[in-house]
Amino acid sequence: MEYSRKRVLAKTLLWRVIATLTGAVIAAGLNPGAAVETAGWFIIIEFPLKMAFYYMHERGWEKVSWGYIQEPTPE
C-alpha cells in the first residue's frame, strides 16, 4: 500500500501539532518563571525541525517492503 504525499504531509502536520503542544506544556512546567518565553522558543525551534524529520521518516518507510501483508488474489 502506498500513500500520497498529501496524506503523509497531513499526518505529519497533525502529529506535530499534538506533539509540539505537549512538549510546550512540559517545557513551561519545567520553567514556571519564564513559562511563556520557554514554551514559545520550544515551539519555534521544535515544530519545523521535527516535522521535517517525521516527513522524511514516513517517506523513507514507504520505500521499505518489509512488513507488508499481501492480500490473496481472488481466482
Side-chain angles (χ1 to χ4, degrees):
M1 178 186 298
E2 188 173 330
Y3 299 115
S4 70
R5 288 181 184 224
K6 286 182 182 179
R7 176 184 167 89
V8 174
L9 188 56
K11 285 175 58 182
T12 300
L13 183 59
L14 181 58
W15 176 248
R16 278 299 1 119
V17 168
I18 293 167
T20 297
L21 291 176
T22 303
V25 168
I26 293 169
L30 291 174
N31 191 2
V36 173
E37 184 179 357
T38 301
W41 278 111
F42 180 87
I43 290 169
I44 289 169
I45 295 168
E46 191 259 2
F47 189 90
L49 186 62
K50 285 190 176 177
M51 191 168 102
F53 287 153
Y54 182 81
Y55 182 82
M56 290 184 291
H57 172 264
E58 284 287 313
R59 297 298 295 173
W61 267 101
E62 287 181 11
K63 298 180 186 319
V64 176
S65 61
W66 174 81
Y68 280 107
I69 298 173
Q70 296 293 326
E71 298 284 331
T73 55
E75 293 184 30

